Amino acid sequence: MKLQADFSLKPYNTFGIDVKAKLYARFDSVAELQELLQMPELRQEEKLILGGGSNVLFTKNFDGIVLQNCIKGIEVLREDDAYTYVKAGSGEVWHEFVVYCLEHNLGGSENLSLIPGTVGAAPLQNIGAYGVELKDIFYELEAVELETGQIHTFDNEACRFGYRESIFKNELKGQFIVTGVTFRLHKNHKLNTSYGAISTTLQEMNIQEPTIQDVSAAVCHIRRSKLPDPKQIGNAGSFFKNPEIPLALYDVLKYQYPTMPAYPVSETMVKVPAGWLIEQCGWKGKVIENYGVHKNQALVLVNYGGASGDKVRALAYDIIHSVEEKFGISLHPEVNIL
Ligand code: FAD
Ligand code: EPU
């Protein structure tokens, strides 16, 4: 384990923001992580756990130690008639885990194909796409407590998953490092093709009886056509969460804006696509110097190269204010602003 000083984080965040960490170390095992946490010279340092850096916006240099999670390995723990339990090291690339499931005919992760980042960060915000969330296949995780170095286990309920939420973003924020995640995958899986774009794409692919591999291919196709590739344009996916508003408020707004889309989340609440709200405020495709709002997806803020994180953050807050002013709806960032 090598400690590196004055370490550039530019290649380690998909926004491509050029900042430095005072100190940096990677860990490849739980033992290495525990050793790092015990080092007397690191005890007082502020710590940031980094996976693939695909859900962070750095606005300044990090004045502490960045610990990069590189714990690898995927193994079947056990199986019964209905399920296979698969454990993945938290530093595995999320999509590599999905590919493992596809190769072993294990259903449940296919709608989550191609989401960037690591397995260990996935429970943090309960990643979701195309009608499925991580919680639907999650069994339990192991995490090391930063303060004590001890290993704790959290089951599905203990993680308190919600829409882009978990206990690790709230009550336990910054207290645990996820080191391994166990998934419960279906042997006899029922596909979820309820998201309109999936069924349309499968039809275009001329597939009548889709397999999990077909659904994954459809999802990859949709994602590649909609979302900018961070290797080409710096971004962190959706910058904001889609706001949930009372149905009564939606009914009022719908009268004023008849094309406003919404999806039911309960009997009294609906979810409104933030991309639509931002587009209506005229931000879609806006370029300011070397950063802006993506031309095809208004929910994605982009760095065309060399932008500073605080300018991107200022843009995000300008967007929040204009949506608030026009619709009276508050947007909240999904991305972790550091
Ligand atoms: P990082 O960005 O490295 O970290 C994110 C946060 O988690 C940080 O606060 C970090 O400190 C913490 N963290 C990371 N690893 C650990 C760990 N092991 N233990 C404890 N804390 C940890 N998200 C979706 O939900 N759905 C999508 O469809 C989606 N699409 C995206 C598309 C694009 C093009 C991009 C760039 C991002 C997208 N995202 C999406 C967001 C992102 O992929 C996910 O949030 C992903 O889980 C982040 O993983 P990461 O390893 O890159 O996390
Ligand atoms: N829309 C617009 N203009 C835009 C973008 C979207 O009007 O510029 C409207 C359209 O009505 C569209 C609707 O928003 O039908 C929904 O758009 P899309 O299907 O692209 O989904 P999204 O709400 O923008 C969410 C997630 C994505 C996830 C997709 C697919 C959030 C914050 N975002 O995006 O997750 O991949 O659905 O399920 O929930 C991420 O979290 O980083 C992310 C990319």
Side-chain angles (χ1 to χ4, degrees):
M1 274 171 321
K2 207 167 82 188
L3 278 186
Q4 297 185 64
D6 205 25
F7 187 84
S8 171
L9 295 173
K10 190 170 177 218
Y12 297 95
N13 70 99
T14 60
F15 248 122
I17 304 291
D18 194 3
V19 289
K20 285 182 170 172
K22 183 166 84 176
L23 291 166
Y24 166 93
R26 58 175 272 170
F27 55 94
D28 293 83
S29 66
V30 174
E32 276 189 8
L33 169 61
Q34 287 169 321
E35 218 177 296
L36 276 164
L37 295 177
Q38 277 166 10
M39 287 167 80
E41 65 269 41
L42 298 184
R43 272 209 81 81
Q44 297 309 319
E45 294 291 348
E46 198 184 335
K47 296 178 184 71
L48 172 70
I49 315 308
L50 202 59
S54 65
N55 206 22
V56 288
L57 174 69
F58 287 107
T59 58
K60 53 181 184 295
N61 291 333
F62 186 73
D63 188 25
I65 179 154
V66 167
L67 298 169
Q68 191 173 24
N69 169 23
C70 299
I71 302 176
K72 297 282 187 201
I74 304 180
E75 58 172 331
V76 171
L77 288 186
R78 63 178 186 279
E79 48 189 305
D80 54 33
D81 290 347
Y83 298 107
T84 302
Y85 294 78
V86 179
K87 183 175 179 184
S90 57
E92 280 289 343
V93 170
W94 171 261
H95 186 68
E96 293 295 317
F97 163 70
V98 174
V99 168
Y100 177 95
C101 295
L102 297 174
E103 284 173 357
H104 292 78
N105 258 323
L106 299 169
S109 69
E110 59 280 359
N111 293 46
L112 304 176
S113 296
L114 225 57
I115 296 182
T118 53
V119 164
L124 264 283
Q125 72 155 10
N126 179 28
I127 56 168
Y130 303 100
V132 172
E133 288 183 331
L134 173 103
K135 69 168 173 47
D136 302 329
I137 53 166
F138 176 94
Y139 184 65
E140 65 180 22
L141 64 75
E142 279 168 18
V144 168
E145 191 174 12
L146 267 135
E147 192 55 35
T148 61
Q150 281 176 357
I151 299 171
H152 294 241
T153 302
F154 294 81
D155 65 12
N156 201 315
E157 200 187 333
C159 290
R160 304 230 202 108
F161 291 125
Y163 165 57
R164 300 294 191 269
E165 287 296 345
S166 75
I167 195 164
F168 305 105
K169 275 183 83 178
N170 294 289
E171 292 94 317
L172 299 182
K173 191 177 163 100
Q175 293 181 39
F176 284 90
I177 302 172
V178 178
T179 52
V181 183
T182 302
F183 299 91
R184 200 178 73 152
L185 297 146
H186 302 260
K187 287 182 166 169
N188 233 332
H189 178 54
K190 206 167 161 289
L191 295 175
N192 181 340
T193 54
S194 56
Y195 208 91
I198 296 189
S199 43
T200 313
T201 307
L202 287 169
Q203 268 168 23
E204 282 165 12
M205 290 161 76
N206 217 357
I207 291 166
Q208 268 86 40
E209 286 178 33
T211 61
I212 55 172
Q213 291 78 7
D214 295 328
V215 172
S216 171
V219 167
C220 290
H221 177 81
I222 300 164
R223 294 185 69 96
R224 287 197 178 103
S225 68
K226 272 193 166 181
L227 291 162
D229 179 354
K231 288 199 188 93
Q232 274 141 30
I233 307 175
N235 77 90
S238 301
F239 198 91
F240 306 97
K241 298 202 280 185
N242 286 328
E244 292 177 10
I245 62 167
L247 183 57
L249 171 61
Y250 176 67
D251 286 340
V252 174
L253 287 167
K254 178 99 178 150
Y255 187 72
Q256 211 178 339
Y257 305 100
T259 60
M260 184 187 262
Y263 313 99
V265 286
S266 69
E267 279 188 6
T268 54
M269 301 292 283
V270 295
K271 199 184 264 184
V272 178
W276 187 90
L277 298 169
I278 297 168
E279 184 175 348
Q280 296 303 306
C281 292
W283 290 104
K284 193 170 179 171
K286 186 127 187 143
V287 181
I288 309 150
E289 298 164 17
N290 47 3
Y291 61 100
V293 179
H294 193 251
K295 62 179 180 2
N296 300 333
Q297 188 16 308
L299 202 43
V300 178
L301 304 191
V302 291
N303 170 15
Y304 290 106
S308 73
D310 54 356
K311 289 216 168 152
V312 177
R313 176 180 53 188
L315 168 63
Y317 280 93
D318 285 346
I319 291 172
I320 290 176
H321 290 137
S322 69
V323 169
E324 179 91 50
E325 209 172 314
K326 189 172 171 79
F327 298 104
I329 295 177
S330 303
L331 294 184
H332 298 282
E334 174 191 303
V335 171
N336 299 280
I337 301 175
L338 297 164

